[in-house]
Amino acid sequence: MIEIINTLQDFKNKRERLSGSIGLVPTMGNLHEGHLSLLKESLKENDQTILTIFVNPKQFLQGEDLDKYPRTFEQDIEKIKSCMHEDDHVIVFHPTNDHEIYGTSFNTTIKVESMNNVLCAKFRPGHFDGVTTVVYRIFSLCRPTISYFGQKDYQQYQIIKKMRDDLLLETKLKMMPITRDENGLALSSRNRYLDHDQREEAQILPQTLKEIESILKRGKVEDALSKAIEIKSKYSAWQYLEILDSKNLEPLSDTTKEVVIAGAFIVGSTRLIDNRLVLLNHAE
Ligand code: PAF
């Protein structure tokens, strides 16, 4: 059964009546296979699933794509239905305006200080504060047993995890692997902005991350670090290309066990991000 709820009050009433384990899949809509992998995992693991669809203005900077961000509600519902089995119960919370998620006098910002001036945060100041603020609000409304996020937004996941830990929130978190198209490009709602040639160019992003991964897997950490610097300096389309400790997004240290290779790459006016996680084998 699928239920669609559009108002804050109706959602609160619904939540009061729910029992059993609740999986939460927060989204901004325009669902693709990546989102659906989160949904399927939640359906498998929980009595009911809440999927939220809300394009959160607080996480868009001035001049970003808030107005043109794809809103495809009807198709999203069809995709959700296509993942469901007869006994599944999905509640879609789709606030029709900002008040239906924030209320009328919302005046709080949730800001995680750490990990908030590297990678995407360096180029989108305030973005993650918008994310943590809305995710905190969604957690409070949904009180989920477990919440599902995609690895593609790795920094987002780590920042939300820090917020969860610091604020003693009850929800468990689960990160699902990146879903890629047949050419290795990580699925993203923003891929629809790319034309044919730009899609080809975009492949540089996953291919480069893979190349650096293979250097790291051979135990050549120093080589991988200099390769990343070399590649980035040759092509202005790279906004960043970095190898950091996956635990805290800080530079590698003697205690680093796993790294994240993270890149942001601009094709036309579309900004794409991707990452790979690699366990270090300390062969050097
Ligand atoms: O990853 C996203 O789609 C958004 O940042 C999220 C987590 C739904 C918050 O608006």
Side-chain angles (χ1 to χ4, degrees):
M1 186 177 61
I2 182 162
E3 279 177 87
I4 299 165
I5 298 182
N6 300 119
T7 71
L8 188 60
Q9 194 51 53
D10 287 350
F11 185 80
K12 284 181 175 167
N13 295 342
K14 180 74 206 173
R15 179 61 188 91
E16 286 309 315
R17 297 196 301 273
L18 292 180
S19 57
S21 72
I22 295 177
L24 170 67
V25 182
T27 81
M28 298 205 298
N30 193 236
L31 304 183
H32 52 64
E33 282 302 323
H35 299 110
L36 300 183
S37 75
L38 312 184
L39 172 63
K40 286 176 194 162
E41 191 74 358
S42 176
L43 291 173
K44 214 163 64 188
E45 295 186 341
N46 297 286
D47 298 320
Q48 32 231 332
T49 291
I50 300 172
L51 186 145
T52 59
I53 298 180
F54 177 62
V55 182
N56 172 35
K58 289 190 191 294
Q59 68 189 76
F60 287 78
L61 272 59
Q62 217 160 23
E64 287 190 341
D65 55 348
L66 172 63
D67 292 337
K68 71 166 186 166
Y69 198 85
R71 287 148 172 98
T72 52
F73 183 68
E74 306 298 329
Q75 292 101 300
D76 290 346
I77 295 298
E78 288 314 309
K79 288 180 188 167
I80 295 168
K81 284 183 181 162
S82 74
C83 298
M84 292 173 62
H85 298 105
E86 216 181 316
D87 293 340
D88 287 334
H89 186 196
V90 176
I91 297 140
V92 177
F93 182 35
H94 177 235
T96 40
N97 62 52
D98 298 357
H99 294 332
E100 297 302 348
I101 198 137
Y102 286 116
T104 49
S105 58
F106 190 85
N107 194 21
T108 297
T109 300
I110 306 283
K111 178 179 174 71
V112 170
E113 298 285 349
S114 56
M115 302 178 279
N116 213 342
N117 55 7
V118 291
L119 304 179
C120 290
K122 226 180 348 191
F123 300 93
R124 303 182 74 190
H127 163 71
F128 288 113
D129 308 339
V131 171
T132 42
T133 300
V134 80
V135 170
Y136 185 95
R137 179 93 176 155
I138 292 171
F139 282 171
S140 309
L141 281 168
C142 299
R143 304 192 301 281
T145 316
I146 173 160
S147 306
Y148 299 82
F149 294 91
Q151 184 193 321
K152 189 176 78 67
D153 297 300
Y154 184 75
Q155 185 174 16
Q156 166 173 284
Y157 179 80
Q158 288 300 336
I159 286 178
I160 290 172
K161 186 156 167 276
K162 185 81 180 103
M163 170 181 79
R164 192 273 316 257
D165 294 346
D166 284 359
L167 300 181
L168 299 174
L169 307 181
E170 293 283 342
T171 184
K172 290 184 211 141
L173 297 177
K174 188 159 185 176
M175 184 175 77
M176 298 298 291
I178 298 177
T179 309
R180 298 178 181 280
D181 73 9
E182 61 285 2
N183 298 314
L185 188 63
L187 297 192
S188 161
S189 301
R190 293 190 167 99
N191 293 356
R192 60 157 50 199
Y193 303 144
L194 303 172
D195 65 25
H196 179 268
D197 291 349
Q198 291 175 330
R199 266 188 184 265
E200 298 242 306
E201 194 187 340
Q203 286 173 35
I204 294 173
L205 172 57
Q207 282 166 4
T208 303
L209 300 188
K210 232 175 157 177
E211 188 184 339
I212 295 174
E213 177 184 48
S214 71
I215 302 174
L216 281 167
K217 282 192 166 158
R218 293 200 298 273
K220 308 275 188 200
V221 177
E222 289 309 322
D223 289 359
L225 288 166
S226 37
K227 186 79 187 170
I229 293 169
E230 181 199 316
I231 292 173
K232 183 179 177 299
S233 67
K234 276 198 188 142
Y235 201 11
S236 63
W238 288 102
Q239 195 172 61
Y240 64 74
L241 177 60
E242 297 208 41
I243 305 172
L244 298 173
D245 192 315
S246 68
K247 209 171 57 233
N248 49 21
L249 305 185
E250 286 180 9
L252 308 193
S253 72
D254 292 346
T255 60
T256 303
K257 292 194 173 64
E258 187 190 52
V259 304
V260 59
I261 316 163
F265 191 75
I266 298 177
V267 185
S269 56
T270 307
R271 183 178 177 279
L272 303 170
I273 58 169
D274 196 354
N275 67 80
R276 292 188 93 87
L277 290 169
V278 186
L279 277 171
L280 294 185
N281 56 22
H282 292 291
E284 257 176 342

